[in-house]
Amino acid sequence: MQISECSTLAHILHTRAEQQPDRVAFRFLADGELETAKLTYQEIDRLAQTIAALLRQCCSRGDRALLLYQPGLDFIAAFLAAFMQAL
């Protein structure tokens, strides 16, 4: 499947994870220059899916969520999970 055929952000992420699992999707630059963490498409997809499954246990579709995270990749995973949970 082509990325252009994807209809949601979650679908794009999952498609990338299938097609380019080892490619770096996100890098965290602690001071704007120094890379302190990174996640591949496969890693971020799995992490977001895990968080989405937890959200489904305690939240209903359409519920609001407040994401309170320190700067870093955990916020991105939770943000993407919220989109996945809404599907």
Side-chain angles (χ1 to χ4, degrees):
M1 174 171 290
Q2 298 294 324
I3 294 298
S4 61
E5 298 172 19
C6 297
S7 59
T8 66
L9 184 58
H11 195 201
I12 290 169
L13 175 63
H14 187 68
T15 300
R16 289 278 178 140
E18 288 178 338
Q19 294 177 353
Q20 302 169 332
D22 298 324
R23 184 171 180 189
V24 175
F26 296 99
R27 298 175 196 272
F28 181 70
L29 308 176
D31 61 0
E33 294 183 21
L34 179 65
E35 180 182 305
T36 58
K38 62 184 173 183
L39 289 170
T40 65
Y41 282 107
Q42 184 175 48
E43 291 168 332
I44 194 72
D45 185 53
R46 284 184 183 164
L47 185 56
Q49 285 186 45
T50 299
I51 296 168
L54 294 171
L55 287 172
R56 284 186 199 102
Q57 292 176 7
C58 66
C59 303
S60 298
R61 184 177 183 178
D63 284 353
R64 289 168 176 81
L66 180 61
L67 305 177
L68 300 173
Y69 286 86
Q70 294 292 324
L73 299 177
D74 290 336
F75 171 80
I76 293 173
F79 181 76
L80 293 169
F83 284 103
M84 290 177 176
Q85 193 278 341
L87 299 177

